[in-house]
Amino acid sequence: MAVISIGCVLLAWHLATLYRLDFYVRFGNIPSPVDVFDKVIEVNQSAAFVTNIGISVRRILYGFAIAAVLGIGLGLMIGRYRWFRQLSMPALEVFRPIPAIAWVPMSIMLWPSNEVSIVFITFLGAFFPILLNSIHGVEAIDPVLLRAARSLGAREPTLLFEVVLPAALPHIFTGLAVGMGVAWVSLIAAEMISGQFGIGYFTWEAYSLISYPEIALGMITIGILGLLCSSAIRLASRIAMPWQSSASPGGRS
């Protein structure tokens, strides 16, 4: 079914570019799938394209890892302890509505190198979805579980790591999945504005040079990388929560 789905998209793309469809949405200058495939062969003859991909992946991994550690940690603390919530949430709510891309000028002035500033923008994009879903996961825990653990002699550290964290994992992984998507959006925008390397910079440079096949290639590459990252998160969720896989009805259609 996945092959059929992607094949239909490619067929529609091919037909739209072949017949130069112009029904308000114009396909006159859009490269065909064949043009993009030829560009894939061309760019892979040099190491520059692969280098750009590697730099973007490295930035995503750094920014997302920091966001996951801080977002989950703070989410557990804020959701679990009222005093910590009252102390930290007002300040966090001030920063949360600011789009990550709006931080680009400030980030360039704030951090010592362009590389660190782009990682920081990526971190901001992922941080708040992870934080808010972690908080919601803790708040949604059935109080009966907590009372049962206390009645069995569980102290606060045991309660936090063996009851609260496992119970909040479904919401946490939802936050990780959403955060990964926002992190890619933030990274590509930051690379387009202030980057000198990366797949976002590659795509923007192709636009500046009016190289339409390279624009499409950059977009497709971003989509594939995002799909791989999301698949990795789903795999990690199945490993971390085996009880959900065994409890699922089986995915019948």
Side-chain angles (χ1 to χ4, degrees):
M1 297 300 291
V3 173
I4 294 174
S5 175
I6 296 175
C8 289
V9 173
L10 292 175
L11 178 61
W13 178 13
H14 171 71
L15 294 176
T17 55
L18 178 64
Y19 294 104
R20 304 294 179 184
L21 298 183
D22 187 2
F23 297 105
Y24 189 73
V25 178
R26 300 167 297 174
F27 285 87
N29 293 322
I30 302 299
S32 68
V34 176
D35 295 332
V36 176
F37 181 74
D38 291 339
K39 183 59 64 173
V40 170
I41 298 175
E42 178 183 333
V43 298
N44 280 293
Q45 292 177 354
S46 66
F49 183 66
V50 177
T51 300
N52 283 321
I53 292 176
I55 290 173
S56 291
V57 171
R58 183 186 66 197
R59 289 167 174 168
I60 274 287
L61 293 178
Y62 285 167
F64 185 78
I66 298 171
V69 171
L70 292 181
I72 295 173
L74 288 175
L76 293 176
M77 295 291 291
I78 293 171
R80 179 69 183 139
Y81 304 110
R82 181 179 300 176
W83 64 270
F84 194 85
R85 181 189 187 96
Q86 295 173 344
L87 178 65
S88 59
M89 279 305 291
L92 291 172
E93 285 294 338
V94 171
F95 291 107
R96 185 171 67 88
I98 303 174
I101 196 62
W103 280 89
V104 170
M106 184 66 69
S107 179
I108 293 173
M109 295 184 292
L110 188 64
W111 298 100
S113 70
N114 195 47
E115 181 71 16
V116 179
S117 66
I118 294 177
V119 172
F120 175 70
I121 297 300
T122 307
F123 154 79
L124 286 177
F127 174 71
F128 286 105
I130 297 173
L131 173 69
L132 295 180
N133 278 274
S134 299
I135 293 173
H136 182 66
V138 176
E139 293 176 341
I141 295 174
D142 189 346
V144 174
L145 295 176
L146 302 176
R147 290 198 297 268
R150 287 197 189 97
S151 68
L152 293 173
R155 297 182 180 272
E156 188 59 30
T158 303
L159 200 66
L160 186 63
F161 289 104
E162 296 189 16
V163 179
V164 174
L165 179 59
L169 278 179
H171 290 85
I172 290 174
F173 274 103
T174 299
L176 291 173
V178 175
M180 177 59 77
V182 181
W184 271 108
V185 172
S186 304
L187 171 67
I188 298 305
E191 289 181 342
M192 286 183 172
I193 293 174
S194 64
Q196 296 179 336
F197 301 98
I199 193 64
Y201 173 78
F202 170 87
T203 305
W204 184 255
E205 184 183 39
Y207 171 75
S208 301
L209 299 175
I210 319 179
S211 178
Y212 299 129
E214 288 190 359
I215 296 173
L217 175 59
M219 294 173 62
I220 294 171
T221 303
I222 293 167
I224 293 174
L225 292 174
L227 175 63
L228 293 175
C229 292
S230 298
S231 300
I233 292 175
R234 286 195 295 269
L235 176 61
S237 70
R238 288 196 293 268
I239 295 174
M241 299 182 294
W243 61 86
Q244 281 206 334
S245 299
S246 61
S248 64
R252 294 171 59 188
S253 59

